[in-house]
Amino acid sequence: MKEKHIFWQSSSWVLSLLLVLPILAIFYTALGDSDEVFSHLISTVMGTYTANTFWLVLGTSVLALLLGLPSAWIMAMCRLPGEKMLQWALVLPLAMPGYIVGYIYTNWFDYAGPVQIFLRDVFGWQTIHDYWFPNIRSLGGACIVLALVLYPYIYLLARAAFMEQSVSLLQSARLLRCSPWQSFRHISLPLARPSIAVALSLVAMETLGDFGTVSYFAVNTLTTAVYDTWLGYSNLNAAAKISSLMLLVIFFLISTERFSRRKQKLFQQQFEHGDDVRYTLTGAKKWCAIIWCWGLVCMAFAFPLLQLGYYAWHYFAESWTTQFLQYSLNSLSVSIITSVVAVILALIVNFYRRLDGSKYTAVPMRLASLGYAVPGTVLAIGVMIPLTSADHLVNDFTQAYGFGRPGLIFSGTMFAIVFAFVVRFAAVAIGSVESSLAKISPSLDMASKTMGYASTAMLRRIHLPLIRRGCLIAGLLVFIESMKELNAALLLRPFNFETLATYVFNFASDEQLEQAALPAILLVIVGLIPLVMINRSLEQKH
């Protein structure tokens, strides 16, 4: 038994250190010489990049809060016609990649788009000098687009917080004749602040790591600076310096999230299922709430999806090509391999923690989960550094022993994308497997040890059958996230290798959204699966 524990211990630590290696490599490379490229960026454009990033994160977070918070309170505390469908529909924008929504809205609201053409026809305007129209390809436009697809983070966590609040407090507020607004401001909002802070940190991290939207909108941020410095200046050290700055910001946001969760433990949450203290909206209030909520769904999901469907229908022959099938197969292969590896890794680190309940056994789990907070563009830098070094070591070794040079077997193949995806999404699998293992009684472990089962046999014959559903869900979530990932795939894909995400990005960047519609719809459909699972989980819980 002791030998098996050593195996699980060593495996957990080795795998977790491998997954945290890209993050360490970024900071280590950032200490190297960047040939004055970084100094040049600091003295010229870095101030603009930093300011754009700050205003992008701030603007998106504020807009997402203004969109998601009222919707969450309405769905949690009010009765509306069709509320069952609306609760589910408000989550759907998370399945829509931000850069796809940005392409569609640019197509609609640009000078040559149908909206401005209609206005010119109606009012008789001839040129752009005859009227003023906001520029969609701007920092403000990027904030609006990102807020439309990210507000569900606010909606989900705030709605859950509102629904878990003590009914007695809300009933007391009514006895004191507090209006709905007073009840929201003095009771519901203060109790939900920790959850809202967590949701805002998620929105901020997603915004900070976005590349597709800001690139198309020509908004220079730190993410685009990493991309341009690496590929434009061919300077990995300077790109690592910028990436390390972004990681420091992300770690600050994560610390804020942890602090908010710690505060949340102070609150006593009691939700009685038999009591319904929701408000019944009537008249103008009811219609305003319906228009607000359904308007969000239409603007962020339904209208863009209908536009994609229109393009896919009319340009199906041009879209259904051998390239589309090949790139779909590429995405399928990468995602399946990533999900299998991530689930195996999650089983190892979780089972080790279960075998040895000391506080230090949680460290490998936490280290292996750090990559989820790292933006894909930054992660690509961190992955490329150790893989390139490994390629040089292998080539030098084989050449020294007369076997020739095998080439870039790590950094120049699909291995780089799979490794990056595992680092990025291992936390998803670890969390799912952890929750499944927590439901298994420790008495089963004791009984299996009494019967003489070794740890491997106990995992195979006792735990795996019981957590099979959790493992399948973990693999499915990792598969879906891998299918949609753009940033890391864009930088790490081998020569002549595309995924569906990069395929859509390339077409849309070339203003050929019509041919990108079919693969974009496929990505959206794949992204809907976890949202259905999340919504069902909330319904069962409440």
Side-chain angles (χ1 to χ4, degrees):
M1 180 65 71
K2 184 177 181 181
E3 182 180 357
K4 292 294 182 181
H5 280 225
I6 293 175
F7 166 76
W8 292 108
Q9 181 183 22
S10 59
S11 299
S12 298
W13 280 101
V14 168
L15 291 174
S16 62
L17 290 176
L18 281 177
L19 273 94
V20 81
L21 182 61
I23 300 176
L24 299 177
I26 291 174
F27 288 107
Y28 176 78
T29 307
L31 300 176
D33 184 18
S34 57
D35 298 330
E36 299 185 353
V37 172
F38 185 71
S39 301
H40 172 71
L41 293 175
I42 288 289
S43 61
T44 54
V45 296
M46 190 58 69
T48 302
Y49 287 0
T50 305
N52 287 344
T53 303
F54 172 79
W55 290 115
L56 179 71
V57 171
L58 180 63
T60 302
S61 302
V62 171
L63 288 175
L65 183 65
L66 294 177
L67 296 176
L69 190 59
S71 306
W73 193 83
I74 291 172
M75 288 294 98
M77 304 303 298
C78 301
R79 300 186 188 93
L80 285 177
E83 61 184 33
K84 290 292 184 182
M85 182 182 297
L86 191 56
Q87 289 172 1
W88 177 77
L90 281 166
V91 189
L92 295 180
L94 270 182
M96 188 72 69
Y99 58 90
I100 294 178
V101 177
Y103 301 148
I104 293 174
Y105 270 87
T106 300
N107 187 46
W108 286 348
F109 292 98
D110 217 355
Y111 179 79
V115 173
Q116 293 202 47
I117 291 176
F118 174 78
L119 293 176
R120 289 195 295 270
D121 291 341
V122 170
F123 295 101
W125 295 325
Q126 300 297 323
T127 66
I128 195 173
H129 302 290
D130 296 335
Y131 66 101
W132 177 86
F133 196 85
N135 182 18
I136 184 66
R137 292 197 185 190
S138 62
L139 179 61
C143 290
I144 293 173
V145 168
L146 289 174
L148 284 174
V149 298
L150 295 178
Y151 84 83
Y153 285 117
I154 308 290
Y155 166 76
L156 283 171
L157 294 180
R159 179 190 164 211
F162 291 146
M163 295 177 69
E164 290 172 350
Q165 290 172 3
S166 175
V167 174
S168 60
L169 291 177
L170 302 176
Q171 291 174 336
S172 300
R174 292 193 178 185
L175 290 175
L176 294 172
R177 297 183 178 181
C178 290
S179 65
W181 167 250
Q182 291 174 327
S183 177
F184 168 76
R185 191 178 68 174
H186 296 294
I187 297 177
S188 298
L189 184 59
L191 291 176
R193 279 177 185 169
S195 296
I196 295 172
V198 172
L200 283 173
S201 66
L202 292 175
V203 171
M205 286 190 288
E206 290 288 338
T207 304
L208 186 64
D210 179 81
F211 174 77
T213 307
V214 296
S215 175
Y216 185 74
F217 278 61
V219 178
N220 292 318
T221 63
L222 292 177
T223 304
T224 59
V226 172
Y227 186 88
D228 294 338
T229 304
W230 184 5
L231 299 184
Y233 290 97
S234 299
N235 195 305
L236 196 59
N237 288 346
K241 292 180 186 296
I242 302 173
S243 300
S244 62
L245 295 177
M246 295 180 64
L247 286 177
L248 292 176
V249 175
I250 291 170
F251 291 154
F252 170 77
L253 294 174
I254 294 176
S255 301
T256 303
E257 178 186 353
R258 300 291 184 188
F259 179 76
S260 299
R261 287 183 179 179
R262 185 180 64 179
K263 289 178 63 179
Q264 196 172 18
K265 294 178 182 178
L266 300 175
F267 302 135
Q268 193 174 15
Q269 299 177 348
Q270 301 171 352
F271 183 78
E272 295 81 8
H273 294 273
D275 296 325
D276 189 355
V277 295
R278 294 181 299 167
Y279 298 96
T280 301
L281 300 182
T282 57
K285 293 181 180 179
K286 179 183 73 173
W287 288 108
C288 287
I290 292 175
I291 292 172
W292 172 264
C293 294
W294 280 113
L296 272 181
V297 175
C298 291
M299 295 296 292
F301 182 79
F303 291 162
L305 184 62
L306 288 174
Q307 181 69 82
L308 290 176
Y310 174 83
Y311 286 150
W313 176 264
H314 287 276
Y315 294 89
F316 181 81
E318 292 84 348
S319 301
W320 189 266
T321 62
T322 55
Q323 284 185 327
F324 169 66
L325 298 177
Q326 179 60 50
Y327 299 154
S328 300
L329 182 61
N330 291 345
S331 290
L332 187 66
S333 303
V334 169
S335 301
I336 290 177
I337 296 173
T338 301
S339 59
V340 171
V341 173
V343 170
I344 294 174
L345 184 146
L347 283 172
I348 292 174
V349 296
N350 276 287
F351 191 62
Y352 166 58
R353 186 185 184 189
R354 188 175 180 90
L355 288 175
D356 187 352
S358 64
K359 60 181 180 180
Y360 298 106
T361 56
V363 176
M365 291 177 56
R366 302 298 171 245
L367 289 177
S369 302
L370 286 177
Y372 191 67
V374 182
T377 307
V378 175
L379 183 61
I381 299 286
V383 167
M384 187 58 65
I385 294 169
L387 292 189
T388 303
S389 300
D391 280 332
H392 286 303
L393 287 176
V394 171
N395 281 269
D396 291 342
F397 178 82
T398 55
Q399 188 177 28
Y401 285 89
F403 295 108
R405 301 178 65 88
L408 303 177
I409 58 176
F410 295 119
S411 61
T413 62
M414 193 173 68
F415 180 87
I417 298 182
V418 172
F419 180 54
F421 285 4
V422 171
V423 174
R424 182 91 162 85
F425 304 122
V428 178
I430 290 173
S432 181
V433 174
E434 180 184 12
S435 62
S436 297
L437 276 176
K439 297 175 184 178
I440 300 177
S441 174
S443 60
L444 291 177
D445 296 13
M446 299 177 186
S448 61
K449 292 178 181 178
T450 303
M451 296 175 64
Y453 282 153
S455 57
T456 305
M458 181 170 61
L459 175 63
R460 185 181 72 254
R461 303 187 64 177
I462 305 296
H463 294 90
L464 280 180
L466 294 175
I467 65 172
R468 180 173 53 192
R469 183 173 180 270
C471 291
L472 289 175
I473 292 175
L476 179 62
L477 292 176
V478 174
F479 174 85
I480 293 165
E481 292 290 343
S482 301
M483 288 283 291
K484 297 192 301 178
E485 174 64 24
L486 170 66
N487 296 358
L490 197 63
L491 290 171
L492 295 175
R493 68 189 191 277
F495 178 74
N496 202 27
F497 185 94
E498 301 284 350
T499 64
L500 279 179
T502 61
Y503 187 58
V504 172
F505 178 80
N506 291 335
F507 268 123
S509 299
D510 294 336
E511 305 292 343
Q512 297 179 1
L513 186 60
E514 297 83 1
Q515 297 186 42
L518 186 61
I521 289 178
L522 181 58
L523 290 177
V524 172
I525 293 174
V526 169
L528 289 176
I529 298 175
L531 300 184
V532 175
M533 296 168 58
I534 291 172
N535 192 69
R536 286 185 176 180
S537 176
L538 286 175
E539 289 179 351
Q540 292 174 0
K541 188 175 181 179
H542 301 294

